[in-house]
């Protein structure tokens, strides 16, 4: 079975036993954190779980030269997004550590260990500025919206132009100048006397 590390920029490193090397150990780890909110009774409420990114640890041996060593270093240097395929399959990985050990028993290669962490890749959101209608068209009544078309530019103020019937104007005038005003002459304002609200 071939084990591969494939990067978006750096190509692919294949570990084939007796040719380029072998991955001897894979280790996956996942962790989560739980929120803790204390309450007055002395206990805590746990109401949310945050899943941390997955981590993959691999170790093995490289034989037959420095090609795989240099390729793994280049992936780490370029901060490449890597897909790992072995017994474990994981995507969107980046190197968080990479270690090589060279001994006299493997003069043309090295043993290695690496830690890779999953990252979330998202696209940035945007709002098109061409979708917003200029305010000048709203002020000049050129808008298709009924309410916005009744606005007019009056210097620093915006005035809504709306026709009011003569009966409405008369009722408004009578409410303030007529002899039959039902509004109270005084009002009670709430307060606090130090003992109870009144």
């Amino acid at each position: 079975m071939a084990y591969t590390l494939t990067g978006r920029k750096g190509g692919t490193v294949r570990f084939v036993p007796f040719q380029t090397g072998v991955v001897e150990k894979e280790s996956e780890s996942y962790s989560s954190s739980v929120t803790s909110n204390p309450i007055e009774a002395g206990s805590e409420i746990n109401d949310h779980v945050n899943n941390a990114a997955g981590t993959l640890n691999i170790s093995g041996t490289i034989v037959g030269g420095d090609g795989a060593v240099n390729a793994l270093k280049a992936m780490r240097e370029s901060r490449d997004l890597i897909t790992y395929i072995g017994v474990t399959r994981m995507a969107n990985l980046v190197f968080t550590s990479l270690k090589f050990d060279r001994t006299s028993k493997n003069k043309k290669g090295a043993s290695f260990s690496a830690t890779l962490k999953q990252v979330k890749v998202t696209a940035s959101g945007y709002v098109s500025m061409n979708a917003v209608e200029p305010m000048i068209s709203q002020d000049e009544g050129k808008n298709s919206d009924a309410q916005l078309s009744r606005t007019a530019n009056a210097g620093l103020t915006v005035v809504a132009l709306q026709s009011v019937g003569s009966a409405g104007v008369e009722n408004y005038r009578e409410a303030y100048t007529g002899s039959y005003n039902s509004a109270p002459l005084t009002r009670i304002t709430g307060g606090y006397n130090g003992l109870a609200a009144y």
Side-chain angles (χ1 to χ4, degrees):
M1 176 180 183
Y3 296 81
T4 61
L5 286 161
T6 303
R8 293 187 182 180
K9 304 173 189 173
T12 300
V13 177
R14 291 176 57 87
F15 294 97
V16 180
F18 307 110
Q19 294 180 23
T20 57
V22 64
V23 173
E24 298 165 351
K25 184 178 179 182
E26 298 177 0
S27 175
E28 296 175 78
S29 63
Y30 302 94
S31 63
S32 300
S33 60
V34 180
T35 59
S36 297
N37 300 305
I39 58 175
E40 290 185 16
S43 58
E44 293 181 344
I45 294 176
N46 307 109
D47 61 351
H48 194 70
V49 177
N50 296 314
N51 290 332
T55 302
L56 175 68
N57 292 297
I58 59 173
S59 60
T61 303
I62 298 169
V63 296
D66 285 338
V69 172
N70 294 333
L72 292 174
K73 287 180 179 179
M75 287 179 178
R76 191 197 71 83
E77 288 294 323
S78 64
R79 298 179 288 276
D80 207 350
L81 281 177
I82 299 165
T83 300
Y84 177 76
I85 298 174
V87 176
T88 303
R89 291 175 177 240
M90 293 179 78
N92 292 333
L93 298 165
V94 293
F95 280 107
T96 56
S97 72
L98 181 61
K99 179 182 177 185
F100 298 100
D101 292 315
R102 300 177 190 272
T103 64
S104 60
K105 293 180 181 179
N106 186 5
K107 294 180 181 179
K108 294 185 179 180
S111 60
F112 75 95
S113 61
T115 302
L116 299 106
K117 187 171 184 176
Q118 279 188 316
V119 294
K120 293 182 179 179
V121 180
T122 61
S124 59
Y126 70 95
V127 176
S128 174
M129 297 303 289
N130 295 333
V132 179
E133 191 168 358
M135 290 183 68
I136 186 73
S137 66
Q138 296 177 13
D139 291 342
E140 293 176 355
K142 296 178 181 176
N143 195 295
S144 60
D145 182 87
Q147 180 62 33
L148 291 177
S149 65
R150 290 195 299 265
T151 62
N153 190 349
L156 294 177
T157 61
V158 175
V159 179
L161 305 176
Q162 186 175 3
S163 61
V164 179
S166 60
V169 172
E170 185 61 28
N171 289 339
Y172 178 79
R173 188 183 62 76
E174 290 269 339
Y176 287 95
T177 60
S179 59
Y180 63 93
N181 194 341
S182 62
L185 297 177
T186 61
R187 66 180 179 183
I188 298 173
T189 303
Y192 183 68
N193 64 2
L195 299 173
Y198 62 91

